Amino acid sequence: MHHAAWLLAPLTLIGVLTSSAVPKLGKGATLRKIIRNLDLPDWILPEPLARAIPGIELALAVGLLAPWVPLFAVAAGASLVLMLVYWTLIARGLTLHPRPSCGCFGQAGDHQISGRTLVRNTLLVSAAFAALALALSGRSVWSLVLGASSGDWLWLGLAALACVVTGLVLGGVSTTPWRANSTSAAPEHAQPARSPKAADSADDDYVRIPTPNVLLHDPESGPVTLPELAATRAQLLVFVNCYCASTSEAAAAIEAWQGRLGLVDVHLVFSVALAPWADNRPTPPGTLVDHAGLTWAALGLTPESPTAVLLGADGYLAGGPVSGTEAVKDFVDDIEESLRELPELAEVADSPR
């Protein structure tokens, strides 16, 4: 057996840790939301640790490249612990019903949870075990590289090529294509907008665009297009694509937001099939259904849930989309402030077209 084969384990971990860390830089809140959406207490991931995780992953990647065996061994052991933690979180997600398979975890990587995810993480745990075994044998990445023969390099190069090709082929596969391709599926006019407060700035380049003529379903009255929905009143649509903690938080806030915004109707919009809540709570009044996520795609929304957009009563988008629990809360604050400071907006919201 080629000794160079052992290189694949630490090199795989280095690639995974680096690609995992970069999108998570500065997104500690998103990482803590993962814990909440797995129905785990916040103390499991304190805020300082959440902020430090991307840096820890990068440090482990650098440590796995260290030429000194003791440092390589520490990095390999810590990588094994981290991979076991991630494996446990994935296994936890598989026990939840409905299973998290959405963008509620934010955009720090792909957070769909499935049996395939657990298999992937099992392989990563195995790679970490192999890296630690390599370190305990007194070798490191550099000792293998320096001792590799020409035959080893040919074998290793072909193995690396196979890994790259497999990643490129399988990396584009999605179990929810409507969500993964939401940007490309959106019409040309579905460009990111801003909040009403930001749009009011004189030097802002915000351009209001027509409300797309796409359908939502009202469980009580049937299908309705977005222009029909906003024909006489402005509408704040809060889209969700799962039944995780972020959805529960948004659902619990809908009635309060409706009370604060007055003349603006607020709707929770499920881009997944309606299902009973785990605690049998009722869905908020005015809940709508976005069949197969088609309206989500048409609006060009990001995968993160919840995400919100404001429809004006004049046939144009009035703000958004914004994504993430905190961003949606800030969006509601902006709308409330705009209505309070600019009474004419409230008049437009309640006037017939």
Side-chain angles (χ1 to χ4, degrees), residues 64-130:
L64 290 171
L65 282 173
W68 306 284
V69 173
L71 182 55
F72 174 70
V74 170
S79 296
L80 175 58
V81 171
L82 186 63
M83 293 304 154
L84 286 171
V85 169
Y86 288 163
W87 188 96
T88 302
L89 292 176
I90 296 298
R92 165 66 177 173
L94 291 175
T95 67
L96 300 180
H97 181 76
R99 181 182 300 168
S101 58
C102 57
C104 57
F105 293 158
Q107 300 179 59
D110 181 7
H111 299 288
Q112 298 181 54
I113 295 179
S114 65
R116 175 183 168 185
T117 315
L118 189 64
V119 171
R120 178 199 66 194
N121 279 60
T122 300
L123 295 175
L124 290 175
V125 169
S126 300
F129 267 116

Side-chain angles (χ1 to χ4, degrees), residues 17 28 81 115 139 147 161 166 171 190 208 212-213 215 242 271 283 299 307 320 325 345:
L17 288 168
V81 171
R139 293 173 292 175
L161 177 62
T166 301
R208 297 189 64 198
N213 191 30
L215 280 172
C242 65
S271 290
T283 55
L299 289 170
T307 188
T325 301
L345 289 182

Side-chain angles (χ1 to χ4, degrees), residues 188 258 300:
E188 291 183 3
Q258 180 64 79

Side-chain angles (χ1 to χ4, degrees), residues 20-53:
S20 173
V22 172
K24 290 187 291 194
L25 289 171
K27 294 184 177 180
T30 294
L31 297 176
R32 298 195 77 199
K33 188 163 66 172
I34 294 175
I35 298 300
R36 291 196 298 272
N37 284 331
L38 291 174
D39 289 336
L40 296 172
D42 285 342
W43 60 260
I44 289 180
L45 185 64
E47 187 173 347
L49 179 58
R51 289 198 302 266
I53 282 180

Side-chain angles (χ1 to χ4, degrees), residues 149-185:
S149 66
S150 58
D152 289 333
W153 281 112
L154 176 61
W155 183 93
L156 183 61
L158 292 175
L161 177 62
C163 291
V164 171
V165 171
T166 301
L168 292 175
V169 171
L170 297 181
V173 176
S174 173
T175 56
T176 53
W178 64 267
R179 197 170 52 74
N181 299 325
S182 61
T183 301
S184 60

Side-chain angles (χ1 to χ4, degrees), residues 222-302:
V224 59
T225 67
L226 296 191
E228 289 172 344
L229 186 67
T232 59
R233 289 168 60 92
Q235 308 287 318
L236 176 63
L237 305 181
V238 182
F239 288 81
V240 294
N241 58 11
C242 65
Y243 283 85
C244 297
S246 55
T247 296
S248 298
E249 189 174 350
I254 290 293
E255 291 191 58
W257 290 344
Q258 180 64 79
R260 289 171 54 191
L261 299 185
L263 298 177
V264 176
D265 291 337
V266 183
H267 299 274
L268 187 66
V269 183
F270 279 90
S271 290
V272 290
L274 284 179
W277 293 92
D279 55 3
N280 295 318
R281 78 178 71 178
T283 55
T287 294
L288 302 172
V289 179
D290 172 22
H291 178 69
L294 297 178
T295 298
W296 187 305
L299 289 170
L301 307 182
T302 69

